[in-house]
């Protein structure tokens, strides 16, 4: 089951600069965390049940760096929280949906994450994520 929009991912050249507009809106920027699997630094800006995820590349070969080079800064992906990530990936594969990650990787706060290729989603990069049991984020 898809439970909610966990976050909207935004590709930035600099989290600090991108955060200014949210700070101006009175929003709180979470701690910057590095996600080695994705070669990014991440900061979450909470919005009710959801969040804006600010992403900054830590390596020029990371997908965020390549995205910015091609399309500039801006909305990068939508993350949907699911209750059973592996089951969703199997179901999508069996329907012939092209996945970026057939096997879940590690996201922020120890969440399991996998991306669906935008070729099969009308151009939207969709991240599926499942919260780790220990996390309450
Ligand atoms: Zn994300």
């Amino acid at each position: 089951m898809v439970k909610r929009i966990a976050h909207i991912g935004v590709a930035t050249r600099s989290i600090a600069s991108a955060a200014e507009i949210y700070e101006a809106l009175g929003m709180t920027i979470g701690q910057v965390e590095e996600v080695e699997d994705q070669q990014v630094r991440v900061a979450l800006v909470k919005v009710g049940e959801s969040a804006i995820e600010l992403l900054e590349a830590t390596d020029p070969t990371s997908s965020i760096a390549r995205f910015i080079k091609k399309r500039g800064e801006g909305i990068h992906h939508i993350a949907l929280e699911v209750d059973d990530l592996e089951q969703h990936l199997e179901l999508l594969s069996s329907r012939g949906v092209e996945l970026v990650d057939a096997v879940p990787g590690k996201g922020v706060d120890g969440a399991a994450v996998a991306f669906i290729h935008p070729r099969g989603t009308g151009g939207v990069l969709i991240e599926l994520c499942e919260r780790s049991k220990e996390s309450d984020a």
Side-chain angles (χ1 to χ4, degrees):
M1 190 183 70
V2 176
K3 296 159 86 176
R4 62 180 178 126
I5 292 180
H7 60 260
I8 294 170
V10 177
T12 75
R13 287 197 176 86
S14 151
I15 287 175
S17 316
E20 286 172 16
I21 183 63
Y22 304 106
E23 283 167 343
L25 287 165
M27 297 161 85
T28 305
I29 317 300
Q31 268 201 342
V32 177
E33 186 181 326
E34 189 158 340
V35 181
E36 278 182 43
D37 270 19
Q38 316 277 345
Q39 296 175 304
V40 289
R41 270 189 287 277
V42 179
L44 288 175
V45 187
K46 289 212 170 155
V47 189
E49 281 285 279
S50 191
I52 294 167
E53 180 185 69
L54 302 176
L55 298 155
E56 178 187 313
T58 56
D59 189 281
T61 63
S62 90
S63 62
I64 291 300
R66 284 183 281 128
F67 176 89
I68 289 176
K69 207 172 165 194
K70 224 161 105 185
R71 299 167 70 169
E73 294 178 294
I75 292 180
H76 178 259
H77 66 270
I78 295 174
L80 301 175
E81 185 182 329
V82 297
D83 50 7
D84 188 337
L85 180 56
E86 307 238 1
Q87 194 188 326
H88 278 81
L89 293 178
E90 272 173 38
L91 186 72
L92 291 170
S93 295
S94 73
R95 291 188 177 182
V97 175
E98 189 179 347
L99 301 173
V100 175
D101 309 295
V103 177
K106 237 189 192 170
V108 181
D109 269 343
V113 301
F115 286 88
I116 305 173
H117 202 286
R119 265 195 290 269
T121 62
V124 180
L125 179 61
I126 296 177
E127 172 187 337
L128 297 178
C129 60
E130 181 183 346
R131 262 199 267 192
S132 74
K133 309 288 182 263
E134 308 86 67
S135 165
D136 59 349

